[in-house]
Amino acid sequence: MLLLVLLTVSIFTFDILELFNFEVSFAKKMAASIKEKHDNVEISLESLKKGKSLISKKNFNEEDILFEERPLVSSQFLWNEFYKYEACEYCLRSLETAENQSRRLTEDPTLTLPLPECDETDQSKYVNCPQCQITYCCQECQKRAWEEYHQTLCMGASRQDENHPLYKLQEMWRNIHFPPESCSIMLIAKMIALVKQSKNKSDILERFSGFVKTTINEDEALVHKMMGEKFQEPLEMLRQQMTDTLYEDTVQHWFTPEGFRSLFALVGRNGQGIGSSSISTWVKNCEKLDLAEEKKEEVDLFIDKLYEELEKVSGSFLDCEGSGLYSLQSTCNHSCLPNAEITFPYNNNIMAVVAKEQIATGQEICISYLSECDLSRSRHSRQKILKENYLFTCECPKCLSEADDPDMTSEEEEEMDDED
Ligand SMILES: [Zn+2]
Ligand SMILES: [Zn+2]
Ligand SMILES: [Zn+2]
């Protein structure tokens, strides 16, 4: 985001000049490699203030896909998994049938969904890891996971063994971090395992170094935000457990107290939330069907009632949730008036960034780091959230046009409205 921030401190122990050269050469390399791969977008380093930005190389219409991307690494949240939101260990695809998921989340075992042909789940393709029995949505996911990180992280027959170091690590995390989760310790474990298993370690390290970095003070603020006020002690426990379990020479700097905190800050700052659900896929497919007017109304009514019931019983916890690191998407800057949005159209962790309006060649592609709800709040509230979570002050056109508004949070505004 901010080039200065990007350049000042990192989890690497280079001196500052070396770091500068490394960053610049990396950024150039990454820009070049992305140029090769993407006809639609390119990374620009022109803006000194914002650091990297993503620029459109074509004209796009509303709803066009600007680019699609797989994460470098992703992981389901641990409480989410614990509460039986069954997802593919590799791609986070929701594994339950839409009907079973609806039954679980409405606590109604008799519920039957109409139009079963709209359910895409194909359980005949599922495969288990032969060692630990963890489930993948297909052979390809199992193969990729094994090649990338699972050889290191596979717990074999000890998946439920309280004494297994990885079990302890996950248990520790669940005890520190209650839902709603914003990160999983397994995302960090997978990063380390990726390095461990990689045949080209410098390549994978370069890809990690492409994410936005933070200063020591910012690390502290981000980790505080992620783990709560008394984060020092649990963080140290996690660091020791992680070191005992997965220590790797190539990234020894990740295991120092400072480096470990930076690693947390990195996933806190760059991690993108992912959600998948068999129910939403079923709903989407139902909506696509060419049904007779009467039938359509009936289905719409059913879906409305289903969502009402889901919300009543399970609140906002409907999806298989996790987070991941996306190289290209992480170069998209924020705007409170974004021209693009992130979607997960395939019920897995493959992201598609979609145009919200016409975008012309040479225009910067901006997404919103804020939820739809936060985006509608006052400038002061938006900037407060962005500052706390992403460490920058937004200067988007909307914020600039509201610069003269009083410094009030949305709640204060609402209170004022109530008094009127
Ligand atoms: Zn999968
Ligand atoms: Zn396994
Ligand atoms: Zn803004």
Side-chain angles (χ1 to χ4, degrees), residues 22-30 52 206-207 209-210:
F22 182 77
E23 288 289 353
V24 170
S25 82
F26 168 74
K28 276 190 188 150
K29 231 189 223 176
M30 182 161 157
K52 286 181 205 157
E206 268 193 7
R207 295 183 67 184
S209 71

Side-chain angles (χ1 to χ4, degrees), residues 69-274:
E69 186 175 24
R70 273 179 194 275
L72 189 53
V73 61
S74 70
S75 180
Q76 190 178 359
F77 294 145
L78 287 179
W79 277 112
N80 191 267
E81 190 184 337
F82 191 84
Y83 283 121
K84 306 235 176 313
Y85 291 76
E86 291 168 23
C88 170
E89 197 277 329
Y90 184 77
C91 76
L92 259 69
R93 181 183 301 281
S94 172
L95 295 175
E96 284 171 292
T97 62
E99 188 165 85
N100 283 343
Q101 197 179 13
S102 306
R103 287 177 175 176
R104 176 172 58 84
L105 294 171
T106 56
E107 293 175 1
D108 176 2
T110 63
L111 187 79
T112 310
L113 296 190
L115 304 170
E117 67 274 22
C118 291
D119 187 346
E120 277 178 21
T121 48
D122 183 357
Q123 294 178 326
S124 69
K125 283 193 188 153
Y126 296 178
V127 286
N128 294 332
C129 168
Q131 270 86 10
C132 70
Q133 303 305 321
I134 209 160
T135 311
Y136 295 92
C137 74
C138 61
Q139 198 83 52
E140 179 69 18
C141 279
Q142 193 230 329
K143 188 168 166 269
R144 282 176 184 243
W146 186 258
E147 282 167 4
E148 290 175 18
Y149 57 79
H150 190 65
Q151 212 170 329
T152 306
L153 298 177
C154 182
M155 291 164 69
S158 325
R159 240 177 97 197
Q160 307 300 336
D161 178 358
E162 291 170 17
N163 296 316
H164 192 288
L166 275 169
Y167 187 96
K168 282 193 200 160
L169 188 72
Q170 297 183 34
E171 182 74 357
M172 222 178 241
W173 178 255
R174 278 195 295 266
N175 288 328
I176 295 167
H177 205 306
F178 296 104
E181 294 156 279
S182 56
C183 166
S184 155
I185 192 71
M186 290 313 286
L187 193 65
I188 292 175
K190 282 186 183 178
M191 289 170 73
I192 298 166
L194 266 182
V195 177
K196 258 188 196 297
Q197 285 187 219
S198 171
K199 290 186 191 82
N200 186 346
K201 294 194 195 305
S202 63
D203 179 61
I204 191 86
L205 287 176
E206 268 193 7
R207 295 183 67 184
F208 281 130
S209 71
F211 291 102
V212 181
K213 282 182 216 44
T214 41
T215 66
I216 291 174
N217 286 341
E218 288 170 338
D219 288 350
E220 176 115 19
L222 277 173
V223 177
H224 184 161
K225 181 81 193 160
M226 286 163 79
M227 296 178 61
E229 211 150 313
K230 298 195 178 90
F231 67 87
Q232 304 279 14
E233 208 181 310
L235 190 68
E236 181 54 24
M237 267 165 50
L238 287 169
R239 183 183 73 86
Q240 277 169 16
Q241 188 62 42
M242 190 68 93
T243 312
D244 291 349
T245 317
L246 289 174
Y247 180 78
E248 161 66 30
D249 239 357
T250 332
V251 283
Q252 46 176 285
H253 53 280
W254 284 357
F255 295 92
T256 65
E258 237 171 47
F260 193 63
R261 204 173 52 187
S262 295
L263 207 50
F264 260 92
L266 183 143
V267 299
R269 173 67 187 76
N270 295 277
Q272 166 64 46
I274 301 165

